[in-house]
Amino acid sequence: MSFELEKKVGLQAVTKAARACARMSGQSEFRETLYKTDGSPVTLADFFVQALINEELSTSFPEIPIVAEETSLCLEGNCGEKLRNHLGKLLPGKNSDEILLAIDRGNNEGGGRGKFWTLDPIDGTRGFLAKRQYAIALALIEDGEVVLGILGCPELGPDARNGAGGKKGFVFFAEKGQGSYQVTLSDGLQTRISVSGITKASEAVMCESAEAPDSSYEFSGKISRFLDITAEPVRMDSQCKYAILARGDTSIYLRPPPRKDYKENIWDHAAGYMIVREAGGTVTDSSGKPLDFSVGKKLHENRGILATNGVIHEAVLRAVKKTVSKKRHAG
Ligand code: AMP
Ligand code: MG
């Protein structure tokens, strides 16, 4: 089964959105922020990208539902008025109701049957606001299995490990069985990417969230020491972490669960998961279980995330297991 048309339309939509974000990210209007009921920020950029991509997807594939992060709820009433007006200017030809409708085309619940898209319009909104990294993350899931992943990373440089320098802005994509690719946002130059070739965990560069709970940093610090890793970790927002692992800048992405009952959203992982796997890497939860995208909007069957270059996956899992059991004995 090939997903040629979905890949073409998805890539066009993400590239268009990523270019628009790159162009407008410095404008204060584009960074206008509201806060959701859970206290997390959502910006004009989030709503704009969700409306734009949902519109493009549903024009070409009216029958494929979309599971997206945002809903139009925040935009209702007085507090949403400013953003509704800005959206009208960014999406000419659409009235306010049509824009809200486009955003709410993302209200599907997902599951294990048939095809659906999952979209995080701005993954890493905190990173976007702090002028760090963020990603536009789109994936296609069929019968519970991720078959296509696309990540737009407007602020990402050519080598995250070695810091700034070089032209920034990339789109990554991977279709099941077809490898992973990186495309420059400025001129569309496409190259195949693969994970790092290191064979010893001690040689790994670890990657983790830029804003993780302290407990996560403590935990990953223990894993690093256990594995004799000497390199400083790369801390980065969003699924850009998967992208830099997929092209070999880093070799481990560890995301420990912050609490027992914490469940990850599918749109925070599906695209990156596909890009790492097709680049030769391995992605499981932090106990080694495969990720199950078939059970709704969250990864209800999984706890935490571990992505590696594949070769060192078992070694890192052993380190996680030992560290967890030590903690249990101590606590
Ligand atoms: P990121 O996906 O790295 O951009 O992180 C996005 C948000 O997820 C952060 O701002 C945190 O609130 C939360 N977060 C970061 N690290 C973890 C973690 N290890 N487990 C769960 N949530 C996390
Ligand atoms: Mg988001």
Side-chain angles (χ1 to χ4, degrees):
M1 185 80 190
S2 161
F3 302 93
E4 208 47 49
L5 192 59
E6 288 91 338
K7 184 167 75 184
K8 185 169 163 238
V9 173
L11 256 175
Q12 270 170 0
V14 170
T15 304
K16 189 169 172 186
R19 289 201 174 125
C21 286
R23 200 170 57 241
M24 294 189 286
S25 65
Q27 297 172 12
S28 59
E29 273 182 6
F30 201 58
R31 314 171 77 77
E32 190 78 42
T33 307
L34 295 173
Y35 290 88
K36 298 194 243 185
T37 45
D38 66 358
S40 64
V42 58
T43 67
L44 177 63
D46 296 70
F47 292 114
F48 164 69
V49 173
Q50 183 159 321
L52 180 82
I53 294 185
N54 280 0
E55 192 63 20
E56 304 246 327
L57 295 179
S58 52
T59 302
S60 294
F61 309 103
E63 74 292 356
I64 305 183
I66 306 170
V67 180
E69 179 175 18
E70 311 305 340
T71 77
S72 70
L73 268 181
C74 285
L75 296 171
E76 286 173 358
N78 285 346
C79 64
E81 194 182 347
K82 211 168 172 185
L83 261 72
R84 287 200 306 273
N85 291 340
H86 289 325
L87 278 170
K89 283 185 229 147
L90 291 180
L91 298 158
K94 295 235 166 289
N95 67 35
S96 198
D97 286 347
E98 288 167 336
I99 292 171
L100 301 188
L101 216 79
I103 290 168
D104 288 336
R105 280 208 193 96
N107 285 355
N108 190 268
E109 296 292 320
R113 287 231 196 114
K115 270 190 213 171
F116 64 88
W117 297 101
T118 186
L119 170 68
D120 192 340
I122 299 286
D123 176 33
T125 302
R126 286 190 170 89
F128 171 74
L129 284 169
K131 304 198 171 168
R132 298 187 308 244
Q133 294 300 329
Y134 64 95
I136 295 154
L138 176 68
L140 182 68
I141 296 179
E142 185 181 54
D143 298 333
E145 201 189 333
V146 188
V147 291
L148 175 66
I150 305 171
L151 279 178
C153 307
E155 289 298 319
L156 190 64
D159 185 344
R161 186 187 32 200
N162 293 320
K167 233 181 193 173
K168 68 181 184 185
F170 294 93
V171 176
F172 298 82
F173 70 90
E175 182 186 339
K176 191 173 174 240
Q178 310 282 317
S180 279
Y181 293 84
Q182 168 177 280
V183 190
T184 55
L185 202 52
S186 54
D187 45 18
L189 203 71
Q190 185 173 312
T191 41
R192 189 162 179 170
I193 54 169
S194 56
V195 292
S196 87
I198 64 154
T199 55
K200 291 191 204 118
S202 60
E203 295 165 357
V205 177
M206 198 190 268
C207 187
E208 57 191 343
S209 281
E211 286 191 24
D214 288 341
S215 58
S216 279
Y217 291 145
E218 254 168 57
F219 188 78
S220 60
K222 281 183 190 159
I223 303 292
S224 270
R225 286 192 288 280
F226 189 93
L227 294 170
D228 292 323
I229 294 173
T230 52
E232 279 295 305
V234 174
R235 290 186 173 168
M236 188 175 275
D237 306 273
S238 83
Q239 284 172 73
C240 287
K241 290 188 281 297
Y242 284 107
I244 62 171
L245 175 69
R247 70 179 184 191
D249 298 0
T250 63
S251 301
I252 301 173
Y253 167 21
L254 179 63
R255 190 176 179 89
R259 298 184 306 275
K260 245 193 168 144
D261 58 344
Y262 187 85
K263 296 295 171 196
E264 299 282 349
N265 300 310
I266 57 169
W267 53 77
D268 284 328
H269 300 285
Y273 163 90
M274 193 76 239
I275 288 161
V276 165
R277 285 181 51 127
E278 285 298 319
T282 301
V283 188
T284 63
D285 77 1
S286 48
S287 69
K289 239 173 121 178
L291 301 188
D292 184 351
F293 289 94
S294 76
V295 286
K297 291 161 91 165
K298 300 220 175 234
L299 296 171
H300 288 290
E301 300 298 325
N302 298 108
R303 295 198 63 217
I305 303 284
L306 175 66
T308 69
N309 73 338
V311 183
I312 63 170
H313 206 80
E314 284 304 319
V316 183
L317 277 176
R318 276 197 299 277
V320 169
K321 252 171 227 155
K322 287 240 164 83
T323 307
V324 170
S325 79
K326 247 192 209 165
K327 204 164 126 194
R328 277 210 198 102
H329 286 300

